[in-house]
Structures are given as C-alpha cells and as structure tokens.
Amino acid sequence: IANAFEVAFSDIAASFEQLFQIAFPGGEGKLSLSNPENPLETGVDITARPGEKSIKRLSLLSGGERSLVALTFLFSVIKCRPAPFCILDEVDAALDDINLCRFLDLVAELTNDTQLLIISHQKRTMEAGDYLYGISMPTEGITKVISEKKSSNQTSNQETNQLEN
Amino acid sequence: IANAFEVAFSDIAASFEQLFQIAFPGGEGKLSLSNPENPLETGVDITARPGEKSIKRLSLLSGGERSLVALTFLFSVIKCRPAPFCILDEVDAALDDINLCRFLDLVAELTNDTQLLIISHQKRTMEAGDYLYGISMPTEGITKVISEKKSSNQTSNQETNQLEN
Amino acid sequence: MFLKSLVLKGFKSFADTTKLDFEPGVTVVVGPNGSGKSNLVDAISWVLGSQSPHAIRSGKMEDVIFQGSKKRAALGRAEVSLVFDNESGTIPMDFPEIKISRTLFKTGESEYAINGSVCRLMDVADLLSDGGMGKSQHTIVSQGEVDTVLNDRSEERRLVIEEAA
Amino acid sequence: MFLKSLVLKGFKSFADTTKLDFEPGVTVVVGPNGSGKSNLVDAISWVLGSQSPHAIRSGKMEDVIFQGSKKRAALGRAEVSLVFDNESGTIPMDFPEIKISRTLFKTGESEYAINGSVCRLMDVADLLSDGGMGKSQHTIVSQGEVDTVLNDRSEERRLVIEEAA
Ligand SMILES: Nc1ncnc2c1ncn2[C@@H]1O[C@H](COP(=O)(O)OP(=O)(O)OP(=O)(O)O)[C@@H](O)[C@H]1O
Ligand SMILES: Nc1ncnc2c1ncn2[C@@H]1O[C@H](COP(=O)(O)OP(=O)(O)OP(=O)(O)O)[C@@H](O)[C@H]1O
Ligand SMILES: [Mg+2]
Ligand SMILES: [Mg+2]
C-alpha cells in the first residue's frame, strides 16, 4: 500500500508543480511529505508562492489565492488519477477576473478525461461551459429546471441573464 | 446583568423581525431564547423562513440565504446598540443580484449611526459607497493604495474597473 | 464512463419529478440564490450512498424529503436515480447503462436499487468502487468547502491521495 | 465618534508607509486578489489589541511583519496607528482626536501608545471599552466568516448580544 501511495504522490507532485504555473504564472508550488522517513504514515504538505512574493504560511494567503491553491491541488490529483466526473459548487466565488481566467485554464486541463459539473454565478464560467442548465423557483419552494442550452456559444447574453435571474 | 441582556435581547429581537422583512420580503424571521426559564444562561436561537418556503433548520438554507440571515442578525444587534464603526470583508460574495440589493438596503439602515468599511468585488456595492479606496500591488508583494474617490457618483465605470483590476 | 442522467422526485426542493440529461464535457449550472443548485449536488452525493446527513447540510436524513411550502403539501418520500454511461466497460457489468437509485421514506426506511433491482448499500458501494468512484470526497467540492484541503492536517491530505491512488 | 485615519508601516504587505483617511458614511475598498484588502482589516483588528494570531490569519504574531519579496528586503518591525474623531466626547478624554498605535519588533517586543504616549495593552482595552468598542467580534466580519453566527451554539450568539448590550 505504501508503494501505491508513493507512486501516486510522485505523479501528483509533478502535476501540481505544472498546474501551479498555470494558476500562478511566475510563482512556485510544491507538494512534500511531512515525514519522509515514514512512508506508511507520512502526511502531505503544500508550499505555495504566488508570483514574486516570498514563501510564507498558507494562512497568510488571500481568499482568492487560497481557493486557487486548493483547486490546483485537487485538480492535480484528478489529472493523475482521473475520476469519471467532478462536481464543483461555487468554487470560483472568491476569484477576481484574472484568477477566474486561470481557474478556467485549470479546468481545461481536466476536460479530456473527466466530465465536469460546475455550479457558478460567474459569467466567464458560464461562457466556458459546453452546456448550460438554468435552475429557478417560479413557484416558491419548488425547483424548476428551466432550460438546457447545447453548446453555450449559441447562448445569447440575454438568455444567460434570464437563467441567472 | 441578566436585565441588561434581557432588555437588549428584546430590542434586538424586534429589530431582527423588522430587518428580516427588508432582507426577505414576505418571509418571516424570529429570535428566541433557547432556555427562557434561565435568563442568566439561556442561548439565542434564530428561526428563518425565506419567502413562502416552509420553516426548516438553518443548515438547509442556501449559501446566499445563510449569508443574508447572518447579516440580518448582526445588523439588528448593531442597529439597536450602535457601534462607532463596522467592517465587512467580502460578506456579499455569495449573494445574487436581487439579494445584493437587499443587502444594500440593510446597509442603509445602519449608516446614520455607524461608519461602515466594506471590502467587496461587487459592482453594486461599489456604487453604493460614499467613498471608494482602490488597493493594488504594482510592485509584487507590496501594497499600494492607489486612489480615493470622494462621492462615488463621480466615479466613472472606467475608474471602477481600473481599481478592481 | 460518465454521468448520463439524473432524476429527482421529492428530494429537498425538487417536489416535482425532474430529469436532467448530461453529456461528456463541461456543464455549468446557474440560477438565483435558494433555487436548488446545491440541492442538485446533494442529490448526487446522496444517491451515491452518502451516510452523513451533515455532508448534505441536513440534521437527520429525513430532512431531504420535500417538506412542503405554502402552495404544496409535504411528500412522503424522496427518490433519486443516477444513470451512468458504461459503454467503456469501466464497471465490470454487462450493461451499456447502469442506473443507481435510492429512496427514503418518511418512516425512515431506505431502499437502494441497481438497474431496477433492489440491493443493499454495500452493493452500490462495491459497484462505485469498481467504477473508480470509491471515495468521492475530492471529486465533489461542496459550496464553501474549497479551501478545506488547505486547512486539513497533513494526514488528511494524504488520505485524498491514497483514495485516488 | 468615527475612524479618521489609519497609518500602516511594515504590516504584512504594507511595506511602505501608507495612510488612509476616512469620513463618516460608507467607504468601499476594492482591488484584485492578494492586493492587501483583508490585510487592512487585519491591521485594524491588530491595532485595537487583538491577541490572537489566528484571528488575523497568522501562526505567530511575528508573521505580521513584512517578510520581504524579490524586490524588497524584510523589515524589522510592523507599526499601525488608528486615529478616532472624538469631537462627540464618546471617549472620556479631553482630546478631539485620539490616536492608538501598536508596534511589534522582530525580537517579539511589543509597544502600545495612546496619543504618542507609551502605555500598556490594558490602557488601550479600557479606552476602547469606554468608547463602546469593547468587543469588536460582531463589528469586524472577516472574509469567509459571515455565517459563523449561524453555526455558533446558542450560547455564543447570546455572548454577541451581551457584549453589545
Ligand atoms: N426538504 C426540503 N424541502 C423543501 N425545501 C427544501 C428542503 N431542503 C432544502 N430546501 C430548500 O432549498 C433551498 C436551498 O437550495 P440550494 O441550497 O440548492 O440553493 P442554491 O441554488 O445553491 O443557492 P445559492 O446560490 O444561494 O447557493 C432552501 O431555500 C431550502 O429552504
Ligand atoms: N508578513 C507579510 N509580509 C509580506 N506579505 C504578506 C505578509 N502577510 C501576508 N502577506 C501577503 O499579503 C497577501 C494577502 O493579502 P490580502 O489577504 O489582504 O488580499 P486581499 O486583497 O484580501 O485578496 P482577496 O480578494 O483574494 O481576498 C498575500 O499574498 C500574502 O502573501
Ligand atoms: Mg448553493
Ligand atoms: Mg481578502
């Protein structure tokens, strides 16, 4: 079992460094074993340096930075050991425009092998989807799924607004 | 001491019901004592019913609904016992457009007696401010405060975008 | 191997029978606060066998049954079915489509089924584990939960990698 | 009684001396992820006497001193000053303006001052308590913390009301 973990860790750590360059160009991210002498029980640590800032503890990172580091970690696991599907509920809520684009670049890294279901309020995320579902409550308390748009390039801004409100 | 708490509770509970109507028109919100026979130790419970939905436990409410219920509670405390200032860091992150307007209506209830400092990525919140400060990092790692606009009615959309990015 | 469709009936705010069809690729779900988007995510966790009411924002499992609103009486059961496309043969069963269903009655009784045949929770768990969906903790990211992986202790991050390995 | 100005020097990402002026009313702070907005909020909690590194996202108090970046060396101390307008006489001191300062040296030594005169933490705490800012837990809402008041046990919500009473 230690071997399966160690092999996976080594793949995922390499993938994390690569995806980190997409999320934080010019920055540096690494995964490391908290206790390398004890492969059966060691934990996994994350080091993250956005851009040219100095490396410091993760808690000091900003809300948006923390979201993006966390997603980089999760996506590096899924990229190396693809799951059939992945569901993300408003994971982009703290991201500003620039980081939102980088998040969508990370998403693009997964789409070949993993089906994605993303809940979001952000317009750019809506535009990045292949398909769009609108959820609403025309009768209060009862959900209605009001439309599915195939290939959202065909979705006009008006429809997107209508789905959102 | 029990008396100061009971008097405050009674004011705040009345204020909570009133502010709840602003946050959730047609809904119903109440504060209650978890242990009325023991005023020295009783806790405080929140019941919330958004709109015409039925009352259920708070955990079942949506992300946006929970933010707004929490803010209604905090604002009812501040409204009854005004603090000189109140600082809100991205409390509107989960709110859709409609709830964002209701949040800003709640903010308006406090502005006479309390100075507000609000951090936000939302355009409507920026427009609701009397003053705007832009924070940026032209040199990576070092914060620069790049401008203060008096009376944000004068701030053009271009300036707001520039401050945000 | 990907999700093909999801049917909900009486699950949380999905009082009416609702069907969603999915394609490989990226599907984005949008809608106002409280409309039912996260409930959709809960339904998928639930039909995959989640035993924790807390993970789907509930106090007890019965909370997932539609509790009624001003315009509609409460229902007696919640039912969710999820269909997988199995053309790739990822799940070692001789079916091109595999349907997993879960029903919960107000009485507390629970029922699971695979392709319409009643089975035990353990059969569902085995099937998912064969399909590489054994532990979905890193593949379903709930609202507000993105950065838990940064707060986790090192050992918990190890678990994420071990389960994916 | 309201905040008049804030000066930061060497506090987190505020490597350069930075001054912000405030007016009564609503001030909105905007800017990209990681630019320093929440650091501003931390600075205010900190100068008001916060003794918990955790409350300002730090591991130990020394984390608040500017740690350097590629282009700038680390600094030896962090200093924050907050000036209150006291024309209303809310704080029983014969000053129209009251300045509270806090300095932390890399050595771990800490210094507080009121209107330039060195004092103890206790003097700052007493002054704030006279000014109705005794406990600011419900008046400073940190990023991501909005709905903690819903998760709190009943007794903790009682505390919020008691402290405001
Ligand atoms: N058992 C139930 N019966 C009826 N309604 C329910 C039940 N459980 C939850 N709800 C309702 O579902 C709504 C929450 O839906 P959900 O969390 O999916 O919203 P959402 O679309 O994710 O919103 P947001 O954008 O704010 O996150 C709540 O208003 C809640 O009252
Ligand atoms: N002691 C320190 N020295 C230098 N930089 C620091 C220090 N402490 C924190 N930082 C940096 O400050 C940045 C975080 O700033 P802050 O949390 O204020 O961002 P923000 O503007 O609130 O962003 P967001 O919109 O994502 O919430 C981080 O990039 C962090 O590296
Ligand atoms: Mg939601
Ligand atoms: Mg922040």
Side-chain angles (χ1 to χ4, degrees):
Chain A
I1 262 278
N3 213 8
F5 167 74
E6 284 173 296
V7 170
F9 175 78
S10 149
D11 290 346
I12 290 166
S15 179
F16 181 79
E17 283 186 41
Q18 178 229 333
L19 292 181
F20 200 89
Q21 286 307 311
I22 296 173
F24 297 96
E28 188 188 339
K30 286 171 111 70
L31 296 183
S32 54
L33 296 174
S34 56
N35 194 357
E37 293 93 60
N38 187 355
L40 283 172
E41 295 183 1
T42 179
V44 172
D45 289 331
I46 300 175
T47 317
R49 177 169 64 77
E52 294 195 331
K53 301 177 180 181
S54 54
I55 292 183
K56 48 185 72 79
R57 72 182 77 233
L58 293 178
S59 63
L60 290 169
L61 292 177
S62 83
E65 289 168 337
R66 283 171 57 87
S67 287
L68 210 49
V69 171
L71 289 163
T72 304
F73 175 70
L74 292 172
F75 282 25
S76 59
V77 175
I78 295 170
K79 187 164 192 218
C80 290
R81 299 288 184 269
F85 65 89
C86 171
I87 306 179
L88 307 172
D89 194 345
E90 293 199 31
V91 298
D92 56 12
L95 303 181
D96 63 20
D97 214 51
I98 297 177
N99 280 336
L100 192 54
C101 291
R102 291 170 182 171
F103 161 66
L104 295 170
D105 290 342
L106 286 182
V107 165
E109 294 283 320
L110 297 186
T111 49
N112 281 345
D113 301 318
T114 299
Q115 179 186 34
L116 281 150
L117 185 64
I118 305 179
I119 314 249
S120 179
H121 286 295
Q122 302 267 24
K123 283 224 159 50
R124 280 193 194 273
T125 304
M126 293 179 212
E127 286 158 14
D130 304 309
Y131 310 99
L132 207 57
Y133 260 111
I135 309 287
S136 75
M137 255 187 194
T139 306
E140 203 149 12
I142 301 170
T143 294
K144 190 168 162 57
V145 177
I146 59 170
S147 74
E148 176 190 356
K149 298 292 166 212
K150 287 237 176 270
S151 177
S152 67
N153 311 336
Q154 302 162 14
T155 313
S156 70
N157 261 340
Q158 186 182 9
E159 276 171 328
T160 314
N161 288 335
Q162 197 180 13
L163 288 173
E164 174 70 340
N165 297 309
Chain B
I1 263 281
N3 213 7
F5 167 73
E6 285 172 296
V7 171
F9 176 77
S10 148
D11 290 347
I12 290 166
S15 178
F16 181 79
E17 283 186 42
Q18 177 229 334
L19 292 182
F20 200 89
Q21 286 308 312
I22 296 172
F24 297 96
E28 189 189 338
K30 288 171 109 71
L31 296 183
S32 55
L33 296 173
S34 56
N35 195 357
E37 295 92 61
N38 188 354
L40 283 173
E41 296 184 359
T42 177
V44 172
D45 288 331
I46 300 175
T47 318
R49 176 169 66 77
E52 294 194 331
K53 301 177 178 181
S54 54
I55 292 183
K56 48 184 73 78
R57 71 182 77 232
L58 293 178
S59 64
L60 289 169
L61 293 177
S62 83
E65 289 169 337
R66 284 170 56 87
S67 287
L68 211 48
V69 171
L71 289 162
T72 304
F73 174 70
L74 292 173
F75 282 24
S76 58
V77 175
I78 296 171
K79 186 162 193 221
C80 292
R81 299 289 184 269
F85 66 89
C86 170
I87 306 179
L88 307 172
D89 193 347
E90 293 199 31
V91 299
D92 56 11
L95 303 181
D96 63 19
D97 214 48
I98 296 177
N99 280 335
L100 193 54
C101 292
R102 291 170 182 171
F103 161 66
L104 295 171
D105 291 341
L106 285 182
V107 165
E109 293 283 320
L110 297 186
T111 49
N112 282 345
D113 301 319
T114 299
Q115 179 187 35
L116 282 151
L117 184 65
I118 305 178
I119 315 245
S120 179
H121 286 295
Q122 302 268 25
K123 282 223 160 48
R124 279 191 194 274
T125 304
M126 294 178 213
E127 287 159 12
D130 303 308
Y131 310 99
L132 207 56
Y133 260 111
I135 308 289
S136 75
M137 256 187 191
T139 306
E140 202 147 12
I142 301 169
T143 295
K144 190 170 163 56
V145 177
I146 60 168
S147 74
E148 179 191 356
K149 297 291 167 216
K150 287 237 175 273
S151 175
S152 68
N153 310 336
Q154 300 162 14
T155 313
S156 70
N157 260 340
Q158 187 182 7
E159 277 171 327
T160 315
N161 287 336
Q162 198 179 10
L163 288 172
E164 173 70 342
N165 298 309
Chain C
M1 166 84 165
F2 51 90
L3 303 179
K4 204 159 178 180
S5 68
L6 177 72
V7 178
L8 307 92
K9 185 173 181 208
F11 185 90
K12 292 201 172 186
S13 57
F14 289 85
D16 297 327
T17 304
T18 308
K19 181 171 197 256
L20 289 90
D21 293 307
F22 299 114
E23 297 286 334
V26 181
T27 301
V28 181
V29 176
V30 306
N33 292 145
S35 56
K37 308 180 295 297
S38 298
N39 289 347
L40 211 56
V41 176
D42 291 340
I44 295 174
S45 296
W46 188 72
V47 74
L48 294 178
S50 170
Q51 294 301 303
S52 156
H54 181 71
I56 52 176
R57 300 176 290 151
S58 303
K60 44 183 167 57
M61 269 307 182
E62 287 72 11
D63 288 348
V64 308
I65 301 171
F66 176 71
Q67 291 176 14
S69 65
K70 273 195 175 166
K71 304 222 163 77
R72 187 78 67 90
L75 292 171
R77 71 163 104 163
E79 192 174 327
V80 176
S81 299
L82 185 59
V83 176
F84 292 93
D85 180 294
N86 190 38
E87 297 278 2
S88 57
T90 307
I91 290 182
M93 271 174 88
D94 202 8
F95 290 97
E97 280 189 12
I98 298 187
K99 177 160 111 175
I100 297 180
S101 311
R102 178 175 182 175
T103 306
L104 176 69
F105 297 90
K106 212 162 51 178
T107 53
E109 282 170 62
S110 208
E111 201 173 86
Y112 295 87
I114 295 173
N115 283 346
S117 310
V118 176
C119 65
R120 306 157 300 167
L121 166 62
M122 196 164 129
D123 301 313
V124 171
D126 288 343
L127 183 114
L128 293 175
S129 155
D130 290 338
M133 288 168 283
K135 265 280 179 179
S136 57
Q137 64 160 323
H138 65 287
T139 54
I140 298 184
V141 185
S142 301
Q143 190 164 3
E145 299 288 304
V146 193
D147 54 342
T148 46
V149 80
L150 300 186
N151 293 326
D152 285 351
R153 297 175 303 117
S154 304
E155 289 70 23
E156 285 165 330
R157 272 190 292 272
R158 179 217 171 89
L159 271 184
V160 172
I161 293 183
E162 239 175 23
E163 280 157 3
Chain D
M1 165 84 168
F2 52 89
L3 304 179
K4 206 159 177 179
S5 67
L6 177 71
V7 178
L8 307 93
K9 183 171 182 212
F11 184 90
K12 291 203 174 187
S13 58
F14 289 84
D16 296 325
T17 303
T18 308
K19 181 172 198 253
L20 290 90
D21 293 307
F22 298 114
E23 298 285 335
V26 181
T27 301
V28 181
V29 176
V30 305
N33 292 143
S35 56
K37 307 179 297 295
S38 298
N39 288 346
L40 211 56
V41 177
D42 291 340
I44 295 174
S45 296
W46 188 71
V47 74
L48 294 178
S50 170
Q51 294 301 305
S52 157
H54 181 71
I56 52 176
R57 301 175 289 151
S58 303
K60 45 182 166 55
M61 267 313 180
E62 287 72 12
D63 288 347
V64 308
I65 301 171
F66 177 71
Q67 292 177 15
S69 66
K70 274 198 175 159
K71 303 223 162 75
R72 186 78 69 89
L75 293 172
R77 72 164 104 163
E79 193 176 325
V80 177
S81 300
L82 185 60
V83 177
F84 291 94
D85 182 292
N86 190 40
E87 297 277 3
S88 56
T90 307
I91 289 182
M93 267 174 91
D94 201 8
F95 290 97
E97 276 188 15
I98 297 187
K99 176 160 110 174
I100 297 180
S101 310
R102 178 175 182 175
T103 306
L104 176 69
F105 298 89
K106 212 161 53 178
T107 53
E109 283 170 60
S110 210
E111 203 173 85
Y112 295 88
I114 295 173
N115 283 345
S117 310
V118 176
C119 66
R120 306 157 301 167
L121 166 62
M122 195 163 132
D123 301 314
V124 171
D126 289 344
L127 183 113
L128 292 176
S129 160
D130 290 339
M133 289 170 282
K135 265 280 180 177
S136 57
Q137 64 158 322
H138 66 287
T139 54
I140 299 184
V141 185
S142 300
Q143 191 165 2
E145 299 288 303
V146 193
D147 55 341
T148 47
V149 79
L150 299 186
N151 293 325
D152 284 351
R153 298 175 304 117
S154 306
E155 289 71 23
E156 285 165 331
R157 272 190 292 272
R158 178 215 173 93
L159 272 185
V160 171
I161 293 183
E162 239 176 24
E163 281 158 1

